[in-house]
Amino acid sequence: MAAVTNLEDSNSPDTVAAAPRAGKSAPTIYDIAEMAGVNPSTVSRALSKPGRVSAKTQKLIEDAAATLNYRVNVFARALPTGRTHTVGLIVSDITNPAYFDVIRGAEAAAAGEDYTLMLAESAESAAQELTTAQRMLATVDGIILASPRLADPEILALAKEKPVAVINRQVDGVHSIVADIDAGVGEAVRHLALMGHTSLAYVAGPEKSWMSARRWESLKARCAWSGLDAVQVAAGAPTVEGGRRTAAAVRASGATAVFCYNDLMAIGLMQELQLAGVVVPDKISILGFDNIFGSDFTTPPLSTIRSPLREAGAEALARILADLKGAGSDGAAEPLPTELVLRGSTGRVS
Amino acid sequence: MAAVTNLEDSNSPDTVAAAPRAGKSAPTIYDIAEMAGVNPSTVSRALSKPGRVSAKTQKLIEDAAATLNYRVNVFARALPTGRTHTVGLIVSDITNPAYFDVIRGAEAAAAGEDYTLMLAESAESAAQELTTAQRMLATVDGIILASPRLADPEILALAKEKPVAVINRQVDGVHSIVADIDAGVGEAVRHLALMGHTSLAYVAGPEKSWMSARRWESLKARCAWSGLDAVQVAAGAPTVEGGRRTAAAVRASGATAVFCYNDLMAIGLMQELQLAGVVVPDKISILGFDNIFGSDFTTPPLSTIRSPLREAGAEALARILADLKGAGSDGAAEPLPTELVLRGSTGRVS
DNA sequence: AGCCGTTTGTCAACCGGTTGCCAAAAGTTG
DNA sequence: CAACTTTTGGCAACCGGTTGACAAACGGCT
């Protein structure tokens, strides 16, 4: 488990000063109370309940707090309130660059609201995801699950404890942030059809991945509509290595264009195919999903369907904060847009 | 310790929109005390001070804790002790894949000791790194700084508060985990000399980067020893984009082989050079550092000097934990080994 | 049994905030 | 100016653990 802390605190990098008080311990609201000549509870209110005390006392207390360089003790605050100003984010695989943007987006949104992000990974394991989530439950105010491998009931159980938002998944009763993959897939299929492809294939990701199934359905539907063939030819771990392993099945399928569950797999597949002498895109076109870091390093650079991951992260965090603030959780927002990023791994059928 | 599969009441009040309901309060040591017929403080000791209570009572208490499915309230514990069982890790840029392994290594080491990792990023800014670190100080037991941009005195100041370990940097008086770059650089220079190169160049990273300076020194020393020319020709942000910007300077230098501060820069440089029609490695050989994810996606695949980042992360965490446990393990361990990874971006001089 | 040194468990005082309840102070109104 | 309403600040009781001091219980020994 790891956390991304934000840094709204504009405390001066005070070189020295440390503790104006003799003792080394940090100043408390009692110190402030004494200095301002009021009761500790008044200090507490001044600092956390805006408007509860008079402007005059407020100023008095804020000044005292400033000169003492006071910072709340988050543990002391969390003990009675249960609130930690922290939101957890669990990703299925931290080495998947696709999560960069999710993390960045959530982090930025958190920082803006004076919240801290706690990051953890589940190593593509549903069991680990569950234990991690339950461990987190004790120390965070809400949880974001990015591409969860958990089953719906488990997610709902978590949501009963604390606000939960899922990314790349649709779970009824839980904030679900999903990209409108139909848009990107539609664009891609149209493009491939134009290039003369008639037989498309899909390489699936993990079987527990809701998004993998969703992508396949979208592709299938679109192909049916366009009168193209579409088959799912393989599945595997959503990694470069996983993609490599599907090469044989893909070749055997005879398809001239193949969609992969994500860019990582697409890259692995392309590498393996090229190793076997298959020219991309002349012999076969390859498409990924996500547009991750490095997807343009390959030769040819990978064509892919871009998802607004950063926005997804920010949106997930915003939903949780809204829940926390008691604001009535609004309905499902409209899905985020996706778009086709055309590079060199797709081309005219030979 | 104990895995906690706690699904409790499965009575679903139908599809209520994410009620942040607190749930029935978690069991406390008071509940355990009552169940076991002892005093709460005895429970506390049984659970945290091994050997302080008799084996009989110990068992009694552990059983009660197990049946109640008890978990300590970390806030309640942290309040009087100040210990949070959390270690912070600050990386300079979370989108740099080089940190994947650092994070993974530290995370694994932490999990093994029942600690939690808190991750933060400083966005390559020394100021932000400092505020982030100071903010973290309040909630972690120790801090790991990966490739810090901070100045030594600032790092030492942090180390005075809580245990600190730095990765990719040498700071006297602070746990410093550095790779033995001389080994990898030596290998690389020997290889290039063999290939006929006589004029090498170095593209530096951020000026505040200790590691960048160190790499340059190592290269310079090695070249002097081998009778080769070596010049630092440019510097820039340690990113793909930063690497691109150095292309002109690199070309102008006339060097036939260039080391880049890291793989990201090497990739950017190579892309820009190729765009200008320079053939790699025929016209110019390129070497990176770190062996990051994606460095083998390029054409030609990047030759690089591999650092044991994962081990570094684990080692840093171990040092901090040792400090925390009071074991004054000061001794600077021997540096971690590096090695040359030869791929396609280096070759015989034309 | 009497004495003495260990264990082992209990009491109570924190750690540093939050918050319900109440009374004093301030502000309004007739 | 009295009666009444609204603010504002203080008191004290938590939140759930940890820990020093101390006494009761225990065990060994003469």
Side-chain angles (χ1 to χ4, degrees):
Chain A
M1 208 183 289
V4 178
T5 66
N6 56 34
L7 20 112
E8 84 309 326
D9 257 10
S10 57
N11 65 318
S12 55
D14 72 315
T15 46
V16 214
R21 270 174 61 83
K24 40 175 277 170
S25 55
T28 72
I29 58 169
Y30 295 91
D31 299 326
I32 296 180
E34 193 179 358
M35 184 176 224
V38 299
N39 189 285
S41 62
T42 304
V43 176
S44 172
R45 289 200 179 91
L47 264 26
S48 51
K49 295 273 204 309
R52 180 60 173 71
V53 303
S54 67
K56 207 178 57 191
T57 343
Q58 179 84 29
K59 172 115 178 42
L60 210 58
I61 290 172
E62 276 173 0
D63 288 351
T67 66
L68 287 175
N69 197 356
Y70 170 82
R71 315 267 281 274
V72 292
N73 178 320
V74 295
F75 307 115
R77 170 174 286 175
L79 193 42
T81 62
R83 288 300 184 79
T84 61
H85 264 224
T86 298
V87 174
L89 168 59
I90 302 181
V91 300
S92 57
D93 172 14
I94 202 169
T95 67
N96 184 339
Y99 294 119
F100 281 168
D101 289 327
V102 175
I103 296 171
R104 280 254 170 117
E107 212 281 319
E113 296 282 344
D114 197 13
Y115 266 70
T116 292
L117 228 216
M118 176 165 281
L119 181 69
E121 100 169 307
S122 66
E124 291 287 349
S125 144
Q128 188 164 335
E129 190 169 310
L130 187 58
T131 30
T132 303
Q134 283 176 332
R135 193 144 121 74
M136 266 192 170
L137 231 31
T139 54
V140 300
D141 292 345
I143 292 185
I144 300 174
L145 262 18
S147 302
R149 302 289 175 246
L150 254 24
D152 279 17
E154 294 169 320
I155 293 176
L156 285 166
L158 291 175
K160 216 173 289 177
E161 304 284 328
K162 298 260 174 87
V164 168
V166 295
I167 293 177
N168 273 358
R169 171 115 164 214
Q170 176 64 51
V171 180
D172 291 338
V174 173
H175 295 298
S176 305
I177 290 88
V178 290
D180 170 28
I181 48 187
D182 291 338
V185 168
E187 254 189 284
V189 171
R190 191 174 339 119
H191 170 74
L192 290 171
L194 236 44
M195 295 297 219
H197 295 270
T198 55
S199 170
L200 311 191
Y202 178 67
V203 169
E207 65 170 315
K208 298 250 181 69
S209 167
W210 179 88
M211 190 42 108
S212 179
R214 194 65 200 71
R215 284 173 177 172
W216 165 230
E217 278 162 28
S218 177
L219 176 61
K220 199 165 47 173
R222 189 69 189 199
C223 283
W225 192 79
S226 303
L228 306 182
D229 274 356
V231 281
Q232 178 170 322
V233 299
T239 60
V240 173
E241 183 54 29
R244 283 201 186 100
R245 297 227 178 84
T246 67
V250 168
R251 271 188 103 174
S253 78
T256 58
V258 43
F259 284 72
C260 293
Y261 164 62
N262 69 13
D263 287 349
L264 256 17
M265 295 188 82
I267 289 169
L269 170 63
M270 187 157 76
Q271 287 181 343
E272 194 72 8
L273 249 24
Q274 290 173 329
L275 236 42
V278 179
V279 180
V280 179
D282 298 3
K283 271 290 173 218
I284 191 165
S285 286
I286 297 183
L287 260 163
F289 276 93
D290 291 347
N291 188 30
I292 62 168
F293 162 88
S295 60
D296 54 339
F297 292 174
T298 57
T299 305
L302 190 67
S303 292
T304 186
I305 292 169
R306 178 183 170 277
S307 291
L309 269 0
R310 186 179 188 112
E311 290 77 0
E315 174 72 13
L317 199 116
R319 299 279 196 98
I320 285 183
L321 255 38
D323 261 15
L324 253 18
K325 298 240 167 71
S329 46
D330 54 356
E334 70 281 14
L336 301 160
T338 58
E339 62 176 336
L340 178 62
V341 177
L342 234 39
R343 288 197 277 244
S345 67
T346 44
R348 192 159 292 282
V349 69
S350 61
Chain B
M1 327 257 160
V4 271
T5 313
N6 175 13
L7 293 222
E8 39 198 289
D9 59 334
S10 50
N11 65 317
S12 57
D14 213 4
T15 56
V16 179
R21 161 188 163 256
K24 53 174 189 207
S25 53
T28 71
I29 57 170
Y30 295 90
D31 299 327
I32 297 180
E34 192 178 0
M35 184 175 227
V38 299
N39 189 284
S41 60
T42 304
V43 175
S44 172
R45 290 206 174 85
L47 263 26
S48 51
K49 295 272 202 310
R52 178 60 172 71
V53 304
S54 67
K56 205 180 58 193
T57 347
Q58 178 84 29
K59 172 119 181 38
L60 211 58
I61 290 172
E62 276 172 2
D63 287 352
T67 66
L68 286 175
N69 198 349
Y70 170 81
R71 309 216 350 231
V72 291
N73 178 320
V74 294
F75 306 115
R77 169 174 285 176
L79 194 43
T81 63
R83 288 302 183 79
T84 60
H85 264 225
T86 297
V87 173
L89 168 58
I90 302 181
V91 300
S92 56
D93 172 13
I94 204 170
T95 66
N96 183 340
Y99 293 119
F100 281 168
D101 288 327
V102 174
I103 296 171
R104 278 251 170 121
E107 219 280 320
E113 297 281 344
D114 200 13
Y115 265 70
T116 292
L117 226 218
M118 176 167 282
L119 181 68
E121 128 177 271
S122 67
E124 292 286 348
S125 143
Q128 200 166 113
E129 191 168 310
L130 187 59
T131 30
T132 303
Q134 284 177 330
R135 190 165 197 281
M136 267 193 169
L137 231 31
T139 54
V140 300
D141 292 345
I143 292 185
I144 300 174
L145 264 17
S147 302
R149 302 286 175 251
L150 254 24
D152 279 18
E154 294 168 319
I155 293 177
L156 285 165
L158 290 175
K160 217 170 288 174
E161 306 281 328
K162 299 259 174 88
V164 167
V166 295
I167 293 177
N168 272 357
R169 169 110 165 220
Q170 176 64 51
V171 179
D172 291 338
V174 174
H175 295 298
S176 304
I177 290 87
V178 289
D180 170 27
I181 48 186
D182 291 339
V185 169
E187 252 190 284
V189 171
R190 193 173 336 120
H191 170 74
L192 290 171
L194 236 45
M195 295 296 219
H197 294 269
T198 56
S199 171
L200 312 191
Y202 178 67
V203 169
E207 64 170 317
K208 297 251 181 70
S209 168
W210 180 88
M211 190 42 107
S212 179
R214 192 68 200 68
R215 284 174 177 171
W216 165 230
E217 278 162 26
S218 178
L219 175 62
K220 199 164 49 172
R222 190 67 189 200
C223 284
W225 192 79
S226 302
L228 304 183
D229 273 355
V231 279
Q232 178 169 321
V233 300
T239 60
V240 172
E241 183 53 30
R244 283 203 185 100
R245 297 226 179 86
T246 67
V250 168
R251 269 188 103 175
S253 77
T256 57
V258 42
F259 284 73
C260 293
Y261 164 63
N262 70 12
D263 286 349
L264 255 18
M265 295 188 82
I267 290 169
L269 171 62
M270 187 157 77
Q271 287 181 343
E272 195 72 8
L273 249 24
Q274 290 173 330
L275 236 43
V278 179
V279 180
V280 179
D282 298 2
K283 272 289 173 218
I284 193 165
S285 286
I286 296 182
L287 261 161
F289 276 93
D290 292 346
N291 189 30
I292 62 168
F293 162 88
S295 60
D296 54 339
F297 293 174
T298 58
T299 304
L302 190 67
S303 291
T304 187
I305 293 169
R306 178 186 168 275
S307 291
L309 269 359
R310 186 179 187 112
E311 290 78 359
E315 174 71 13
L317 199 116
R319 299 279 195 96
I320 285 181
L321 255 40
D323 259 15
L324 254 18
K325 298 238 168 73
S329 68
D330 49 346
E334 70 281 14
L336 301 160
T338 58
E339 63 175 336
L340 178 63
V341 177
L342 234 38
R343 288 198 277 243
S345 67
T346 44
R348 191 160 294 281
V349 68
S350 59

